[in-house]
Amino acid sequence: METTCICGDPETSKNHSFGAVSVPIYQTATFAHPGIGESTGHNYTRESNPTRDELEKTVSALEGAVDTVACTSGMAAISLMMELFDSGSHFVCTEDLYGGSVRIFEALEKKRGFSFSYINTADVEAVEKAITDQTKALYIETPSNPTMQVTDLAEMSRLATKHGLLLIVDNTFLSPYLQNPIAQGADLVVHSGTKFLGGHNDTLAGFLCTPIKALAEQIRYLFKTIGSGLSPFDSFLVLRGIKTLSVRVERQQENAMKIASWLKEQKKVTDVYYVGLPEHPGYEINQKQSRGAGSMISFRTDTEETARKVLERVKLISYAESLGGVESLITYPMLQTHGDVPVEIRERLGITETFLRLSVGIENVDDLIADLEQALA
């Protein structure tokens, strides 16, 4: 995995012009034809571009996919994916989804006649009960955003096969370095490449991967038709980020475990949600299907006043949306990432005024703990 992060597809990366070690940025909109009916393999960047191709092949290698498309954002990748389905389709989804996913699903309910059932997908029986004759796919986030629920992907694959459904997994939180849903039976994998894959909070990107050739062909046709392809320069930035994915994630995960353990001991913290803690209800399943717990922590404070004080007093940690970068970020999900989720659903999930989400970076862990300590004081 570490070598794939660096080298990607050896056949592609070893054939750069002039022996360039880094992928060149092919900042061109169009490509000349050698002759009538002939092509260099690229015609127009909306359809394909050599820089983006290398990124897509690298992500395919990391996820075990036959093909991947790189989009302008994670939401663009989800939008593209939903074009695979006909009007009237029903989806069974993890109840605790990224708020942007819920927002686009609500829009599609109105415009396309789609319907969505939000279920605790850790409960296999509840998932099966939610499947109807109109159900076309299971849409899973594990760990979920932001309450860190864990879903058994092998069980979801079993249900998908039994009922003739597609299994879709958002793998943003763990990245392909720690979890490979395709190996667990997923048919489609989506990523916000802005997060761990890019890793530096400096560019937006999204990915849609599949191990199924027929699906890959459909996706490629929609991709070039809709025009959601990532630019050559942004493709270069994400490729550069992936080269350090393994070392970044290892350091972030190490820091997260220390911070989660420290948070457990704080009087003003009532609950800590981190899948690397043995007491987490999804610990064993996550251990079974992944290679680590990642670096996303959520925690609950004793009062709303404490939560707001933390957000306003952190100095090293930034109060900002997003996650997965080298910088540590803290977020107020009820106002930010999940602001569009109906209040009654948020409160049922526990995303309240006292709930905070922390994306742990690669800073010195003692400095991060000291920052949290002074903010909680």
PDB file of all heavy atoms in Angstrom, residues 102-136:
ATOM      1  N   VAL A 102     -27.015  14.206   2.699  1.00  0.00           N
ATOM      2  CA  VAL A 102     -28.447  14.304   3.007  1.00  0.00           C
ATOM      3  C   VAL A 102     -29.087  15.431   2.194  1.00  0.00           C
ATOM      4  O   VAL A 102     -30.189  15.281   1.659  1.00  0.00           O
ATOM      5  CB  VAL A 102     -28.658  14.546   4.518  1.00  0.00           C
ATOM      6  CG1 VAL A 102     -30.138  14.779   4.822  1.00  0.00           C
ATOM      7  CG2 VAL A 102     -28.132  13.362   5.321  1.00  0.00           C
ATOM      8  N   ARG A 103     -28.386  16.541   2.065  1.00  0.00           N
ATOM      9  CA  ARG A 103     -28.914  17.682   1.319  1.00  0.00           C
ATOM     10  C   ARG A 103     -29.173  17.340  -0.147  1.00  0.00           C
ATOM     11  O   ARG A 103     -30.239  17.632  -0.695  1.00  0.00           O
ATOM     12  CB  ARG A 103     -27.947  18.862   1.421  1.00  0.00           C
ATOM     13  CG  ARG A 103     -28.434  20.127   0.735  1.00  0.00           C
ATOM     14  CD  ARG A 103     -27.540  21.312   1.068  1.00  0.00           C
ATOM     15  NE  ARG A 103     -26.161  21.091   0.687  1.00  0.00           N
ATOM     16  CZ  ARG A 103     -25.137  21.035   1.538  1.00  0.00           C
ATOM     17  NH1 ARG A 103     -25.360  21.150   2.833  1.00  0.00           N
ATOM     18  NH2 ARG A 103     -23.913  20.842   1.107  1.00  0.00           N
ATOM     19  N   ILE A 104     -28.211  16.672  -0.780  1.00  0.00           N
ATOM     20  CA  ILE A 104     -28.405  16.336  -2.191  1.00  0.00           C
ATOM     21  C   ILE A 104     -29.464  15.252  -2.351  1.00  0.00           C
ATOM     22  O   ILE A 104     -30.235  15.259  -3.319  1.00  0.00           O
ATOM     23  CB  ILE A 104     -27.079  15.930  -2.870  1.00  0.00           C
ATOM     24  CG1 ILE A 104     -27.260  15.941  -4.389  1.00  0.00           C
ATOM     25  CG2 ILE A 104     -26.575  14.564  -2.401  1.00  0.00           C
ATOM     26  CD1 ILE A 104     -25.978  15.786  -5.157  1.00  0.00           C
ATOM     27  N   PHE A 105     -29.555  14.334  -1.396  1.00  0.00           N
ATOM     28  CA  PHE A 105     -30.592  13.304  -1.472  1.00  0.00           C
ATOM     29  C   PHE A 105     -31.984  13.926  -1.350  1.00  0.00           C
ATOM     30  O   PHE A 105     -32.920  13.510  -2.042  1.00  0.00           O
ATOM     31  CB  PHE A 105     -30.376  12.251  -0.383  1.00  0.00           C
ATOM     32  CG  PHE A 105     -29.158  11.379  -0.601  1.00  0.00           C
ATOM     33  CD1 PHE A 105     -28.675  10.572   0.423  1.00  0.00           C
ATOM     34  CD2 PHE A 105     -28.484  11.367  -1.818  1.00  0.00           C
ATOM     35  CE1 PHE A 105     -27.568   9.764   0.235  1.00  0.00           C
ATOM     36  CE2 PHE A 105     -27.369  10.573  -2.021  1.00  0.00           C
ATOM     37  CZ  PHE A 105     -26.903   9.774  -0.994  1.00  0.00           C
ATOM     38  N   GLU A 106     -32.124  14.924  -0.490  1.00  0.00           N
ATOM     39  CA  GLU A 106     -33.413  15.604  -0.369  1.00  0.00           C
ATOM     40  C   GLU A 106     -33.790  16.302  -1.668  1.00  0.00           C
ATOM     41  O   GLU A 106     -34.955  16.290  -2.087  1.00  0.00           O
ATOM     42  CB  GLU A 106     -33.367  16.612   0.776  1.00  0.00           C
ATOM     43  CG  GLU A 106     -33.367  15.972   2.153  1.00  0.00           C
ATOM     44  CD  GLU A 106     -33.329  16.989   3.270  1.00  0.00           C
ATOM     45  OE1 GLU A 106     -33.071  18.185   2.970  1.00  0.00           O
ATOM     46  OE2 GLU A 106     -33.550  16.619   4.426  1.00  0.00           O
ATOM     47  N   ALA A 107     -32.815  16.909  -2.337  1.00  0.00           N
ATOM     48  CA  ALA A 107     -33.084  17.567  -3.617  1.00  0.00           C
ATOM     49  C   ALA A 107     -33.508  16.552  -4.674  1.00  0.00           C
ATOM     50  O   ALA A 107     -34.422  16.808  -5.474  1.00  0.00           O
ATOM     51  CB  ALA A 107     -31.844  18.323  -4.082  1.00  0.00           C
ATOM     52  N   LEU A 108     -32.873  15.380  -4.649  1.00  0.00           N
ATOM     53  CA  LEU A 108     -33.211  14.348  -5.621  1.00  0.00           C
ATOM     54  C   LEU A 108     -34.575  13.727  -5.353  1.00  0.00           C
ATOM     55  O   LEU A 108     -35.250  13.271  -6.281  1.00  0.00           O
ATOM     56  CB  LEU A 108     -32.127  13.264  -5.625  1.00  0.00           C
ATOM     57  CG  LEU A 108     -30.772  13.696  -6.209  1.00  0.00           C
ATOM     58  CD1 LEU A 108     -29.718  12.639  -5.928  1.00  0.00           C
ATOM     59  CD2 LEU A 108     -30.880  13.936  -7.710  1.00  0.00           C
ATOM     60  N   GLU A 109     -35.000  13.706  -4.099  1.00  0.00           N
ATOM     61  CA  GLU A 109     -36.347  13.232  -3.782  1.00  0.00           C
ATOM     62  C   GLU A 109     -37.387  14.069  -4.508  1.00  0.00           C
ATOM     63  O   GLU A 109     -38.368  13.552  -5.051  1.00  0.00           O
ATOM     64  CB  GLU A 109     -36.589  13.303  -2.267  1.00  0.00           C
ATOM     65  CG  GLU A 109     -36.011  12.138  -1.491  1.00  0.00           C
ATOM     66  CD  GLU A 109     -36.406  12.173  -0.029  1.00  0.00           C
ATOM     67  OE1 GLU A 109     -36.252  13.238   0.596  1.00  0.00           O
ATOM     68  OE2 GLU A 109     -36.867  11.137   0.481  1.00  0.00           O
ATOM     69  N   LYS A 110     -37.167  15.383  -4.533  1.00  0.00           N
ATOM     70  CA  LYS A 110     -38.124  16.299  -5.140  1.00  0.00           C
ATOM     71  C   LYS A 110     -38.040  16.291  -6.665  1.00  0.00           C
ATOM     72  O   LYS A 110     -39.057  16.343  -7.359  1.00  0.00           O
ATOM     73  CB  LYS A 110     -37.886  17.717  -4.618  1.00  0.00           C
ATOM     74  CG  LYS A 110     -38.089  17.857  -3.117  1.00  0.00           C
ATOM     75  CD  LYS A 110     -37.668  19.231  -2.622  1.00  0.00           C
ATOM     76  CE  LYS A 110     -37.779  19.340  -1.111  1.00  0.00           C
ATOM     77  NZ  LYS A 110     -37.298  20.652  -0.606  1.00  0.00           N
ATOM     78  N   LYS A 111     -36.816  16.225  -7.194  1.00  0.00           N
ATOM     79  CA  LYS A 111     -36.631  16.370  -8.638  1.00  0.00           C
ATOM     80  C   LYS A 111     -36.703  15.057  -9.410  1.00  0.00           C
ATOM     81  O   LYS A 111     -37.118  15.022 -10.563  1.00  0.00           O
ATOM     82  CB  LYS A 111     -35.288  17.050  -8.925  1.00  0.00           C
ATOM     83  CG  LYS A 111     -35.229  18.497  -8.470  1.00  0.00           C
ATOM     84  CD  LYS A 111     -33.899  19.129  -8.854  1.00  0.00           C
ATOM     85  CE  LYS A 111     -33.858  20.599  -8.460  1.00  0.00           C
ATOM     86  NZ  LYS A 111     -32.564  21.244  -8.827  1.00  0.00           N
ATOM     87  N   ARG A 112     -36.266  13.981  -8.780  1.00  0.00           N
ATOM     88  CA  ARG A 112     -36.134  12.715  -9.502  1.00  0.00           C
ATOM     89  C   ARG A 112     -37.074  11.624  -8.990  1.00  0.00           C
ATOM     90  O   ARG A 112     -37.096  10.527  -9.534  1.00  0.00           O
ATOM     91  CB  ARG A 112     -34.682  12.219  -9.405  1.00  0.00           C
ATOM     92  CG  ARG A 112     -33.639  13.129 -10.064  1.00  0.00           C
ATOM     93  CD  ARG A 112     -33.579  12.941 -11.566  1.00  0.00           C
ATOM     94  NE  ARG A 112     -33.250  11.581 -11.903  1.00  0.00           N
ATOM     95  CZ  ARG A 112     -31.999  11.076 -11.914  1.00  0.00           C
ATOM     96  NH1 ARG A 112     -30.980  11.843 -11.608  1.00  0.00           N
ATOM     97  NH2 ARG A 112     -31.787   9.820 -12.241  1.00  0.00           N
ATOM     98  N   GLY A 113     -37.805  11.901  -7.935  1.00  0.00           N
ATOM     99  CA  GLY A 113     -38.695  10.888  -7.387  1.00  0.00           C
ATOM    100  C   GLY A 113     -37.967   9.776  -6.673  1.00  0.00           C
ATOM    101  O   GLY A 113     -38.514   8.678  -6.489  1.00  0.00           O
ATOM    102  N   PHE A 114     -36.713  10.031  -6.239  1.00  0.00           N
ATOM    103  CA  PHE A 114     -35.992   9.054  -5.434  1.00  0.00           C
ATOM    104  C   PHE A 114     -36.573   9.049  -4.020  1.00  0.00           C
ATOM    105  O   PHE A 114     -37.188  10.022  -3.585  1.00  0.00           O
ATOM    106  CB  PHE A 114     -34.507   9.404  -5.349  1.00  0.00           C
ATOM    107  CG  PHE A 114     -33.739   9.199  -6.632  1.00  0.00           C
ATOM    108  CD1 PHE A 114     -32.484   9.762  -6.787  1.00  0.00           C
ATOM    109  CD2 PHE A 114     -34.260   8.460  -7.673  1.00  0.00           C
ATOM    110  CE1 PHE A 114     -31.754   9.578  -7.956  1.00  0.00           C
ATOM    111  CE2 PHE A 114     -33.540   8.264  -8.856  1.00  0.00           C
ATOM    112  CZ  PHE A 114     -32.294   8.827  -8.985  1.00  0.00           C
ATOM    113  N   SER A 115     -36.358   7.970  -3.283  1.00  0.00           N
ATOM    114  CA  SER A 115     -36.736   7.925  -1.882  1.00  0.00           C
ATOM    115  C   SER A 115     -35.605   7.295  -1.082  1.00  0.00           C
ATOM    116  O   SER A 115     -34.859   6.445  -1.594  1.00  0.00           O
ATOM    117  CB  SER A 115     -38.042   7.152  -1.683  1.00  0.00           C
ATOM    118  OG  SER A 115     -37.924   5.832  -2.161  1.00  0.00           O
ATOM    119  N   PHE A 116     -35.483   7.733   0.163  1.00  0.00           N
ATOM    120  CA  PHE A 116     -34.363   7.325   1.002  1.00  0.00           C
ATOM    121  C   PHE A 116     -34.870   6.942   2.392  1.00  0.00           C
ATOM    122  O   PHE A 116     -35.649   7.670   2.997  1.00  0.00           O
ATOM    123  CB  PHE A 116     -33.348   8.466   1.136  1.00  0.00           C
ATOM    124  CG  PHE A 116     -32.782   8.913  -0.184  1.00  0.00           C
ATOM    125  CD1 PHE A 116     -33.449   9.863  -0.953  1.00  0.00           C
ATOM    126  CD2 PHE A 116     -31.594   8.393  -0.662  1.00  0.00           C
ATOM    127  CE1 PHE A 116     -32.939  10.283  -2.172  1.00  0.00           C
ATOM    128  CE2 PHE A 116     -31.076   8.793  -1.883  1.00  0.00           C
ATOM    129  CZ  PHE A 116     -31.753   9.741  -2.639  1.00  0.00           C
ATOM    130  N   SER A 117     -34.413   5.790   2.874  1.00  0.00           N
ATOM    131  CA  SER A 117     -34.707   5.363   4.238  1.00  0.00           C
ATOM    132  C   SER A 117     -33.408   5.418   5.030  1.00  0.00           C
ATOM    133  O   SER A 117     -32.409   4.795   4.625  1.00  0.00           O
ATOM    134  CB  SER A 117     -35.270   3.939   4.261  1.00  0.00           C
ATOM    135  OG  SER A 117     -36.514   3.877   3.590  1.00  0.00           O
ATOM    136  N   TYR A 118     -33.419   6.171   6.128  1.00  0.00           N
ATOM    137  CA  TYR A 118     -32.219   6.327   6.944  1.00  0.00           C
ATOM    138  C   TYR A 118     -32.314   5.388   8.144  1.00  0.00           C
ATOM    139  O   TYR A 118     -33.204   5.520   8.990  1.00  0.00           O
ATOM    140  CB  TYR A 118     -32.062   7.787   7.378  1.00  0.00           C
ATOM    141  CG  TYR A 118     -31.842   8.703   6.192  1.00  0.00           C
ATOM    142  CD1 TYR A 118     -32.910   9.374   5.604  1.00  0.00           C
ATOM    143  CD2 TYR A 118     -30.574   8.864   5.644  1.00  0.00           C
ATOM    144  CE1 TYR A 118     -32.719  10.200   4.502  1.00  0.00           C
ATOM    145  CE2 TYR A 118     -30.368   9.681   4.543  1.00  0.00           C
ATOM    146  CZ  TYR A 118     -31.443  10.342   3.974  1.00  0.00           C
ATOM    147  OH  TYR A 118     -31.238  11.149   2.883  1.00  0.00           O
ATOM    148  N   ILE A 119     -31.391   4.435   8.195  1.00  0.00           N
ATOM    149  CA  ILE A 119     -31.450   3.319   9.135  1.00  0.00           C
ATOM    150  C   ILE A 119     -30.131   3.222   9.905  1.00  0.00           C
ATOM    151  O   ILE A 119     -29.066   3.564   9.385  1.00  0.00           O
ATOM    152  CB  ILE A 119     -31.685   1.996   8.370  1.00  0.00           C
ATOM    153  CG1 ILE A 119     -32.938   2.072   7.497  1.00  0.00           C
ATOM    154  CG2 ILE A 119     -31.755   0.799   9.318  1.00  0.00           C
ATOM    155  CD1 ILE A 119     -34.233   2.210   8.255  1.00  0.00           C
ATOM    156  N   ASN A 120     -30.191   2.735  11.125  1.00  0.00           N
ATOM    157  CA  ASN A 120     -28.972   2.372  11.840  1.00  0.00           C
ATOM    158  C   ASN A 120     -28.412   1.113  11.175  1.00  0.00           C
ATOM    159  O   ASN A 120     -28.853  -0.004  11.464  1.00  0.00           O
ATOM    160  CB  ASN A 120     -29.282   2.121  13.321  1.00  0.00           C
ATOM    161  CG  ASN A 120     -28.049   1.630  14.079  1.00  0.00           C
ATOM    162  OD1 ASN A 120     -26.937   1.594  13.539  1.00  0.00           O
ATOM    163  ND2 ASN A 120     -28.248   1.251  15.333  1.00  0.00           N
ATOM    164  N   THR A 121     -27.466   1.308  10.252  1.00  0.00           N
ATOM    165  CA  THR A 121     -26.980   0.174   9.457  1.00  0.00           C
ATOM    166  C   THR A 121     -26.075  -0.764  10.243  1.00  0.00           C
ATOM    167  O   THR A 121     -25.644  -1.789   9.710  1.00  0.00           O
ATOM    168  CB  THR A 121     -26.272   0.667   8.179  1.00  0.00           C
ATOM    169  OG1 THR A 121     -25.306   1.682   8.508  1.00  0.00           O
ATOM    170  CG2 THR A 121     -27.286   1.249   7.197  1.00  0.00           C
ATOM    171  N   ALA A 122     -25.809  -0.433  11.501  1.00  0.00           N
ATOM    172  CA  ALA A 122     -25.151  -1.414  12.378  1.00  0.00           C
ATOM    173  C   ALA A 122     -26.122  -2.526  12.759  1.00  0.00           C
ATOM    174  O   ALA A 122     -25.702  -3.604  13.181  1.00  0.00           O
ATOM    175  CB  ALA A 122     -24.624  -0.727  13.635  1.00  0.00           C
ATOM    176  N   ASP A 123     -27.411  -2.267  12.574  1.00  0.00           N
ATOM    177  CA  ASP A 123     -28.466  -3.239  12.863  1.00  0.00           C
ATOM    178  C   ASP A 123     -28.852  -3.928  11.553  1.00  0.00           C
ATOM    179  O   ASP A 123     -29.637  -3.408  10.758  1.00  0.00           O
ATOM    180  CB  ASP A 123     -29.674  -2.517  13.472  1.00  0.00           C
ATOM    181  CG  ASP A 123     -30.781  -3.466  13.904  1.00  0.00           C
ATOM    182  OD1 ASP A 123     -30.827  -4.612  13.429  1.00  0.00           O
ATOM    183  OD2 ASP A 123     -31.636  -3.044  14.704  1.00  0.00           O
ATOM    184  N   VAL A 124     -28.278  -5.084  11.287  1.00  0.00           N
ATOM    185  CA  VAL A 124     -28.473  -5.780  10.017  1.00  0.00           C
ATOM    186  C   VAL A 124     -29.949  -6.107   9.779  1.00  0.00           C
ATOM    187  O   VAL A 124     -30.467  -5.963   8.659  1.00  0.00           O
ATOM    188  CB  VAL A 124     -27.620  -7.065   9.971  1.00  0.00           C
ATOM    189  CG1 VAL A 124     -27.847  -7.816   8.658  1.00  0.00           C
ATOM    190  CG2 VAL A 124     -26.140  -6.731  10.134  1.00  0.00           C
ATOM    191  N   GLU A 125     -30.637  -6.528  10.834  1.00  0.00           N
ATOM    192  CA  GLU A 125     -32.049  -6.874  10.701  1.00  0.00           C
ATOM    193  C   GLU A 125     -32.881  -5.660  10.299  1.00  0.00           C
ATOM    194  O   GLU A 125     -33.781  -5.761   9.454  1.00  0.00           O
ATOM    195  CB  GLU A 125     -32.556  -7.452  12.025  1.00  0.00           C
ATOM    196  CG  GLU A 125     -33.992  -7.950  11.957  1.00  0.00           C
ATOM    197  CD  GLU A 125     -34.443  -8.588  13.265  1.00  0.00           C
ATOM    198  OE1 GLU A 125     -33.571  -9.001  14.052  1.00  0.00           O
ATOM    199  OE2 GLU A 125     -35.671  -8.676  13.483  1.00  0.00           O
ATOM    200  N   ALA A 126     -32.575  -4.507  10.873  1.00  0.00           N
ATOM    201  CA  ALA A 126     -33.312  -3.283  10.538  1.00  0.00           C
ATOM    202  C   ALA A 126     -33.078  -2.894   9.088  1.00  0.00           C
ATOM    203  O   ALA A 126     -33.996  -2.419   8.399  1.00  0.00           O
ATOM    204  CB  ALA A 126     -32.892  -2.150  11.464  1.00  0.00           C
ATOM    205  N   VAL A 127     -31.865  -3.103   8.603  1.00  0.00           N
ATOM    206  CA  VAL A 127     -31.564  -2.794   7.200  1.00  0.00           C
ATOM    207  C   VAL A 127     -32.399  -3.671   6.275  1.00  0.00           C
ATOM    208  O   VAL A 127     -33.022  -3.192   5.318  1.00  0.00           O
ATOM    209  CB  VAL A 127     -30.055  -2.980   6.907  1.00  0.00           C
ATOM    210  CG1 VAL A 127     -29.774  -2.815   5.410  1.00  0.00           C
ATOM    211  CG2 VAL A 127     -29.227  -1.986   7.713  1.00  0.00           C
ATOM    212  N   GLU A 128     -32.431  -4.970   6.581  1.00  0.00           N
ATOM    213  CA  GLU A 128     -33.183  -5.874   5.711  1.00  0.00           C
ATOM    214  C   GLU A 128     -34.674  -5.544   5.720  1.00  0.00           C
ATOM    215  O   GLU A 128     -35.342  -5.607   4.681  1.00  0.00           O
ATOM    216  CB  GLU A 128     -32.953  -7.326   6.115  1.00  0.00           C
ATOM    217  CG  GLU A 128     -33.588  -8.315   5.157  1.00  0.00           C
ATOM    218  CD  GLU A 128     -32.945  -9.683   5.173  1.00  0.00           C
ATOM    219  OE1 GLU A 128     -32.396 -10.068   6.233  1.00  0.00           O
ATOM    220  OE2 GLU A 128     -32.977 -10.380   4.139  1.00  0.00           O
ATOM    221  N   LYS A 129     -35.208  -5.153   6.861  1.00  0.00           N
ATOM    222  CA  LYS A 129     -36.621  -4.796   6.941  1.00  0.00           C
ATOM    223  C   LYS A 129     -36.945  -3.556   6.115  1.00  0.00           C
ATOM    224  O   LYS A 129     -38.080  -3.382   5.655  1.00  0.00           O
ATOM    225  CB  LYS A 129     -37.023  -4.563   8.402  1.00  0.00           C
ATOM    226  CG  LYS A 129     -37.168  -5.835   9.211  1.00  0.00           C
ATOM    227  CD  LYS A 129     -37.603  -5.518  10.631  1.00  0.00           C
ATOM    228  CE  LYS A 129     -37.788  -6.798  11.452  1.00  0.00           C
ATOM    229  NZ  LYS A 129     -38.189  -6.498  12.854  1.00  0.00           N
ATOM    230  N   ALA A 130     -35.958  -2.685   5.928  1.00  0.00           N
ATOM    231  CA  ALA A 130     -36.179  -1.437   5.184  1.00  0.00           C
ATOM    232  C   ALA A 130     -36.132  -1.630   3.667  1.00  0.00           C
ATOM    233  O   ALA A 130     -36.533  -0.742   2.912  1.00  0.00           O
ATOM    234  CB  ALA A 130     -35.149  -0.396   5.602  1.00  0.00           C
ATOM    235  N   ILE A 131     -35.651  -2.778   3.212  1.00  0.00           N
ATOM    236  CA  ILE A 131     -35.540  -3.043   1.771  1.00  0.00           C
ATOM    237  C   ILE A 131     -36.921  -3.325   1.189  1.00  0.00           C
ATOM    238  O   ILE A 131     -37.699  -4.101   1.737  1.00  0.00           O
ATOM    239  CB  ILE A 131     -34.583  -4.223   1.520  1.00  0.00           C
ATOM    240  CG1 ILE A 131     -33.164  -3.857   1.965  1.00  0.00           C
ATOM    241  CG2 ILE A 131     -34.590  -4.624   0.046  1.00  0.00           C
ATOM    242  CD1 ILE A 131     -32.202  -5.035   1.973  1.00  0.00           C
ATOM    243  N   THR A 132     -37.217  -2.652   0.064  1.00  0.00           N
ATOM    244  CA  THR A 132     -38.498  -2.845  -0.625  1.00  0.00           C
ATOM    245  C   THR A 132     -38.242  -3.300  -2.060  1.00  0.00           C
ATOM    246  O   THR A 132     -37.095  -3.422  -2.494  1.00  0.00           O
ATOM    247  CB  THR A 132     -39.303  -1.532  -0.662  1.00  0.00           C
ATOM    248  OG1 THR A 132     -38.669  -0.620  -1.584  1.00  0.00           O
ATOM    249  CG2 THR A 132     -39.378  -0.889   0.713  1.00  0.00           C
ATOM    250  N   ASP A 133     -39.327  -3.508  -2.802  1.00  0.00           N
ATOM    251  CA  ASP A 133     -39.201  -3.901  -4.210  1.00  0.00           C
ATOM    252  C   ASP A 133     -38.558  -2.797  -5.043  1.00  0.00           C
ATOM    253  O   ASP A 133     -38.021  -3.060  -6.122  1.00  0.00           O
ATOM    254  CB  ASP A 133     -40.579  -4.235  -4.795  1.00  0.00           C
ATOM    255  CG  ASP A 133     -41.165  -5.505  -4.200  1.00  0.00           C
ATOM    256  OD1 ASP A 133     -40.393  -6.305  -3.638  1.00  0.00           O
ATOM    257  OD2 ASP A 133     -42.400  -5.688  -4.301  1.00  0.00           O
ATOM    258  N   GLN A 134     -38.620  -1.552  -4.548  1.00  0.00           N
ATOM    259  CA  GLN A 134     -38.059  -0.422  -5.299  1.00  0.00           C
ATOM    260  C   GLN A 134     -36.616  -0.118  -4.905  1.00  0.00           C
ATOM    261  O   GLN A 134     -35.955   0.714  -5.531  1.00  0.00           O
ATOM    262  CB  GLN A 134     -38.912   0.839  -5.073  1.00  0.00           C
ATOM    263  CG  GLN A 134     -40.246   0.846  -5.808  1.00  0.00           C
ATOM    264  CD  GLN A 134     -41.235  -0.132  -5.206  1.00  0.00           C
ATOM    265  OE1 GLN A 134     -41.394  -0.189  -3.973  1.00  0.00           O
ATOM    266  NE2 GLN A 134     -41.895  -0.933  -6.043  1.00  0.00           N
ATOM    267  N   THR A 135     -36.122  -0.800  -3.876  1.00  0.00           N
ATOM    268  CA  THR A 135     -34.764  -0.524  -3.406  1.00  0.00           C
ATOM    269  C   THR A 135     -33.731  -0.952  -4.452  1.00  0.00           C
ATOM    270  O   THR A 135     -33.794  -2.057  -4.979  1.00  0.00           O
ATOM    271  CB  THR A 135     -34.474  -1.256  -2.080  1.00  0.00           C
ATOM    272  OG1 THR A 135     -35.494  -0.917  -1.131  1.00  0.00           O
ATOM    273  CG2 THR A 135     -33.126  -0.851  -1.520  1.00  0.00           C
ATOM    274  N   LYS A 136     -32.803  -0.042  -4.729  1.00  0.00           N
ATOM    275  CA  LYS A 136     -31.764  -0.316  -5.731  1.00  0.00           C
ATOM    276  C   LYS A 136     -30.369  -0.388  -5.140  1.00  0.00           C
ATOM    277  O   LYS A 136     -29.460  -0.957  -5.761  1.00  0.00           O
ATOM    278  CB  LYS A 136     -31.782   0.772  -6.812  1.00  0.00           C
ATOM    279  CG  LYS A 136     -33.123   0.914  -7.541  1.00  0.00           C
ATOM    280  CD  LYS A 136     -33.524  -0.371  -8.238  1.00  0.00           C
ATOM    281  CE  LYS A 136     -34.878  -0.217  -8.921  1.00  0.00           C
ATOM    282  NZ  LYS A 136     -35.348  -1.492  -9.519  1.00  0.00           N
TER     283      LYS A 136
END
